[in-house]
């Protein structure tokens, strides 16, 4: 049982050992065994916000919300290593506007409201996933002290309401968590993955320049009278900017419905 490398923490400008996933990911992005990215190209404001969320202890079990405990070799591709690291906080990592950015799985209330006045195109709406992408049960592996550091299945996460909605047919997603060392934490991450997957409504449209206020991972309100949406909550899953054929500046966004209940620790399936 060892402690790994000491990490720089932009919140306190100190270097010390930490199992905070945001700090681990920042270290990998900025060092030679990772992407060797310039520090100026990492958004330390979002790193600090993510690190604060990971350090919270207001969970049902009273433990730290997210930790990162595992190992990798440089034989792995950076793509695989980053994907494995980000599973430890159930979050997102992306590169936008010249900087690497990250966000853990955590509810942040929307601050931006879009209406039909902000639209610059028609709206494409998908109401459901394909059957291939839909699931109602999550299984996977972790390893930690409670398993004597052997890779073991964590208790599966399922939901009777979702199973009923799928006509009783079980659909399983395998989500392995190689950097999670607690079954409680593993179930917390798996539960969020399950609840997030059941938020199936997606919207794609072009928006005006007010969309420059948001980025991937932000939660926004969208009001569209035709669909009966009054400040309905959506998460930004993609964001691109460019000129149309008519030389009009537009932001193309894909949005996916989200709700605060996705991130709670209750197996109630509330949508």
């Amino acid at each position: 049982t060892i402690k790994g490398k000491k990490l720089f923490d932009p919140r306190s400008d100190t270097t010390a050992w930490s199992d905070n996933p945001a700090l681990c990911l920042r270290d990998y992005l900025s060092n030679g065994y990772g992407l060797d990215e310039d520090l100026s190209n990492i958004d330390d404001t979002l790193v600090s916000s993510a690190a604060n969320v990971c350090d919270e202890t207001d969970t049902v079990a009273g433990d730290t919300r997210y930790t990162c405990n595992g190992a990798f070799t440089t034989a792995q591709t950076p793509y695989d290593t980053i994907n494995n690291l980000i599973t430890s906080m159930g979050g997102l990592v992306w590169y936008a506007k010249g900087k690497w950015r990250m966000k853990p799985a955590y509810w942040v209330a929307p601050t931006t409201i879009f209406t039909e006045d902000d639209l610059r195109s028609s709206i494409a709406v998908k109401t459901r996933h394909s059957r291939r992408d839909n699931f109602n049960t999550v299984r996977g592996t972790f390893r930690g002290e409670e398993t004597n550091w052997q890779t073991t299945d964590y208790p599966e996460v399922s939901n009777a309401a979702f199973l009923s909605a799928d006509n009783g047919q079980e659909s399983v997603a395998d989500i392995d968590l190689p950097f999670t060392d607690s079954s409680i934490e593993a179930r917390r991450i798996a539960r969020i993955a399950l609840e997030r997957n059941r938020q199936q409504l997606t919207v794609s449209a072009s928006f005006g320049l007010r969309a420059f206020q948001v980025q991937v991972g932000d939660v926004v309100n969208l009001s569209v009278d035709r669909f009966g949406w009054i400040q309905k909550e959506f998460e930004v899953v993609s964001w691109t900017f460019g000129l149309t054929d008519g030389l009009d500046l537009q932001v193309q966004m894909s949005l996916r419905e989200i709700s605060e209940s996705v991130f709670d620790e209750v197996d109630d399936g509330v949508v």
Side-chain angles (χ1 to χ4, degrees):
T1 302
I2 63 170
K3 286 188 175 181
K5 183 189 173 187
K6 295 180 180 180
L7 308 176
F8 179 78
D9 189 338
R11 297 172 294 177
S12 59
D13 290 335
T14 58
T15 300
W17 178 84
S18 173
D19 62 357
N20 187 296
L23 302 185
C24 292
L25 181 57
R26 180 189 185 278
D27 183 82
Y28 183 80
L29 292 174
S30 61
N31 274 278
Y33 47 77
L35 294 190
D36 203 16
E37 185 66 85
D38 287 340
L39 291 175
S40 59
N41 294 337
I42 298 176
D43 189 332
D44 275 345
T45 300
L46 286 186
V47 171
S48 297
S49 298
N52 287 335
V53 168
C54 294
D55 279 343
E56 290 180 352
T57 56
D58 59 345
T59 57
V60 171
D63 59 340
T64 304
R65 186 173 300 280
Y66 301 122
T67 60
C68 181
N69 292 285
F72 65 89
T73 69
T74 53
Q76 284 182 301
T77 65
Y79 178 85
D80 289 334
T81 303
I82 289 172
N83 277 339
N84 287 340
L85 285 168
I86 202 68
T87 63
S88 62
M89 59 178 174
L92 305 169
V93 59
W94 69 97
Y95 185 84
K97 303 176 186 177
K99 290 183 182 289
W100 285 93
R101 305 164 192 268
M102 63 184 72
K103 181 188 177 185
Y106 190 70
W107 173 253
V108 179
T111 58
T112 305
I113 301 173
F114 293 112
T115 68
E116 292 174 80
D117 292 337
D118 296 299
L119 293 172
R120 298 295 180 268
S121 72
S122 57
I123 300 180
V125 178
K126 289 178 61 178
T127 57
R128 291 183 66 83
H129 297 316
S130 67
R131 186 173 184 82
R132 180 188 61 189
D133 298 326
N134 204 35
F135 53 87
N136 49 46
T137 302
V138 176
R139 296 173 186 154
T141 59
F142 80 108
R143 63 178 175 180
E145 188 172 8
E146 60 192 284
T147 70
N148 199 25
W149 308 104
Q150 303 304 303
T151 300
T152 309
D153 292 338
Y154 55 79
E156 72 173 34
V157 176
S158 188
N159 188 289
F162 298 157
L163 193 62
S164 175
D166 295 339
N167 296 319
Q169 183 167 349
E170 186 179 66
S171 299
V172 179
D174 289 312
I175 300 179
D176 294 330
L177 302 172
F179 284 89
T180 299
D181 67 347
S182 160
S183 61
I184 294 174
E185 200 173 316
R187 278 181 54 84
R188 180 179 301 130
I189 295 169
R191 183 183 293 109
I192 291 172
L194 175 60
E195 297 264 359
R196 190 194 288 270
N197 177 264
R198 305 300 294 203
Q199 304 275 314
Q200 301 188 50
L201 186 69
T202 57
V203 172
S204 297
S206 293
F207 293 80
L209 297 188
R210 285 188 66 242
F212 263 91
Q213 300 177 65
V214 302
Q215 60 181 328
V216 170
D218 284 347
V219 177
V220 301
N221 289 127
L222 180 61
S223 296
V224 180
D225 291 341
R226 179 180 178 185
F227 297 119
W229 298 341
I230 301 174
Q231 296 189 17
K232 181 171 174 59
E233 293 156 344
F234 287 89
E235 185 175 34
V236 181
V237 294
S238 73
W239 187 106
T240 57
F241 168 71
L243 283 169
T244 66
D245 293 338
L247 300 182
D248 183 23
L249 294 170
Q250 294 183 6
V251 176
Q252 177 71 28
M253 290 197 296
S254 294
L255 310 174
R256 182 169 170 178
E257 67 176 338
I258 197 72
S259 67
E260 186 174 2
S261 65
V262 166
F263 303 98
D264 64 27
E265 296 187 68
V266 182
D267 292 319
D268 53 8
V270 172
V271 178

